Amino acid sequence: DRASDQLLIGALDEVAAAIVIYDDNLKAIHWNHGFELIFPSMVPALKKGATMRQMIVQSYVDGTIQNDLSDVEILEKVDLFIEDMRRGRAEVRTVRTQDGRVFQARDVKLGARHFASLRVDVSQLQKQQDTIAHQAVSLEAANEDLRTFSSITAHDLKAPLFSLLNLIEFMAEDMEAAGISLPPEIEDNWSQMERLSHRMMQLVQDLLVYSTTQSESHRSEMIEPSPRLQEVLDLAGPREGFEVIIEPDMPRLRVNPIAFEMVMRNLIVNALQHHDRDHGTIILSAQSTDDAVMLSVCDDGPGIPEEHYEQIFAPFHRLSASTEGSGLGLAFVKKTVESWGGTVQVSAAQPRGTVFTVSFPQSVAQDGDAEQQQLAG
């Protein structure tokens, strides 16, 4: 047993931590080599039989531990530590030394008659955490700058583009009124100029919405998805030959209605634009699980290769240059859905096509149901 004890003590001496063992009177009876290396200035006090209370007070009074407490506050704080320890409420606390090191400190009861002070050096870990925290703050600031820049840019571009579109329309009306017919080649160029101008306006509008998603999507209310989706469908204007089926009586949701409509409109328009036939069917359905309400948009189009499932949600990414769009639609969908705590996933439909599934946290819907029951009561 003595040999085993010595092995354990030898192992503790190699740990990057300062360990002190105290008897029932809180008098120091053993400390490891790590304590001597980490707190050499406090070793003489241990050799003189200092108590746990004296050791902790000394570390605060002599400035070993960073603090701005008065002597009275130090004594009260240390007495509280010891009282909690004797009652078995040993909480881990983080302390910093004057030389910049960081320790996890804990004072615990060992068996019926002994106690221990443990100080583990976590300076490297804390440094990494501080770096991550600093980077997170910097990243959020950069993102905010980017959102502001995107919003300002979109606003600045919108006015001249709107004037350009009006000018194209006025010129077409004037030429028609004057009986002027353009040669076929110029007519084609005119149509292309008009189409590209509308496409640029769509890009600007999408960019404006995308830049404001994070703040706007948190304004929520209870909605009935089925009638809302019918309104979305009316605006999306499915082309002739396509049928969009909306499942009735979908579970109620608490979301920002404008954001919800834009998300669903993007998914519906995406299914229509990328269809490879002149006829097709799109089915909107929903189902509840224990954790979420899952709303799906299923089409019978050409499908999306699995290797592109992640890429399609990147801003400005387009699978085909032959289809209209800014490349921001699915990026907006993903950003908006994640901002309300949900997810958006893509999978293959059978026998062909694609399924986009948007999840809404079930707790949100339940909160809304409880609210309605309270109002009804």
Side-chain angles (χ1 to χ4, degrees), residues 117-321:
S117 288
L118 312 174
R119 304 293 184 267
V120 181
D121 191 339
V122 292
S123 300
Q124 278 299 114
L125 179 60
Q126 187 64 48
K127 183 178 180 181
Q128 293 173 352
Q129 292 177 340
D130 291 344
T131 299
I132 292 173
H134 177 72
Q135 290 175 341
V137 172
S138 299
L139 181 60
E140 178 56 32
N143 285 337
E144 183 59 34
D145 289 343
L146 181 58
R147 285 191 292 268
T148 302
F149 173 77
S150 300
S151 181
I152 293 174
T153 301
H155 274 293
D156 289 347
L157 289 174
K158 194 172 182 180
L161 275 174
F162 187 74
S163 298
L164 176 61
L165 288 170
N166 283 336
L167 182 60
I168 292 174
E169 183 179 351
F170 294 154
M171 290 175 65
E173 292 175 354
D174 291 343
M175 286 188 293
E176 183 179 359
I180 299 175
S181 298
L182 297 175
E185 182 178 349
I186 298 179
E187 181 69 33
D188 290 341
N189 291 337
W190 183 276
S191 298
Q192 184 176 2
M193 178 178 66
E194 186 175 16
R195 180 177 60 82
L196 290 176
S197 298
H198 280 285
R199 181 175 172 183
M200 188 174 294
M201 176 61 79
Q202 180 185 1
L203 173 60
V204 170
Q205 291 173 335
D206 288 348
L207 185 62
L208 183 59
V209 172
Y210 184 79
S211 66
T212 58
T213 298
Q214 186 169 356
S215 59
E216 292 297 324
S217 62
H218 293 293
R219 302 176 184 175
S220 61
E221 63 182 65
M222 292 300 299
I223 67 167
E224 298 284 351
S226 298
R228 285 276 184 177
L229 288 172
Q230 185 58 56
E231 295 177 8
V232 170
L233 182 59
D234 293 340
L235 290 175
R239 50 194 170 113
E240 186 177 353
F242 284 83
E243 180 183 15
V244 180
I245 301 173
I246 301 175
E247 180 183 81
D249 302 324
M250 293 183 183
R252 299 167 71 248
L253 302 172
R254 176 177 289 278
V255 292
N256 177 287
I258 297 177
F260 171 79
E261 291 179 4
M262 295 191 69
V263 164
M264 301 313 300
R265 183 164 66 251
N266 270 285
L267 292 178
I268 294 172
V269 170
N270 186 71
L272 292 169
Q273 285 184 341
H274 293 280
H275 208 289
D276 59 340
R277 297 175 179 175
D278 56 4
H279 64 277
T281 301
I282 298 171
I283 301 175
L284 308 181
S285 60
Q287 61 179 352
S288 296
T289 67
D290 292 339
D291 301 323
V293 174
M294 317 295 290
L295 201 157
S296 299
V297 178
C298 177
D299 66 62
D300 56 356
I304 299 174
E306 187 173 352
E307 60 268 24
H308 293 298
Y309 282 179
E310 292 297 327
Q311 301 174 16
I312 59 175
F313 293 106
F316 303 105
H317 181 84
R318 298 170 63 203
L319 287 177
S320 174

Side-chain angles (χ1 to χ4, degrees), residues 21-76:
I21 308 297
Y22 300 90
D23 62 16
D24 193 36
N25 296 317
L26 298 185
K27 182 178 179 180
I29 58 175
H30 179 78
W31 56 91
N32 71 336
H33 184 58
F35 186 92
E36 296 182 350
L37 293 177
I38 295 172
F39 301 112
S41 63
M42 301 184 70
V43 173
L46 285 178
K47 291 182 176 180
K48 293 179 180 179
T51 65
M52 177 188 289
R53 184 176 188 273
Q54 291 171 335
M55 293 297 295
I56 299 177
V57 168
Q58 178 183 335
S59 68
Y60 277 87
V61 172
D62 66 12
T64 300
I65 303 300
Q66 291 181 11
N67 71 95
D68 54 1
L69 303 174
S70 66
D71 290 345
V72 173
E73 290 173 330
I74 290 173
L75 294 176
E76 291 176 350

Side-chain angles (χ1 to χ4, degrees), residues 89-95 103-108 118 120:
R89 299 197 303 259
E91 295 185 358
V92 177
R93 57 189 187 275
T94 300
V95 296
F103 292 87
Q104 282 188 345
R106 193 180 184 199
D107 303 298
V108 298
L118 312 174
V120 181

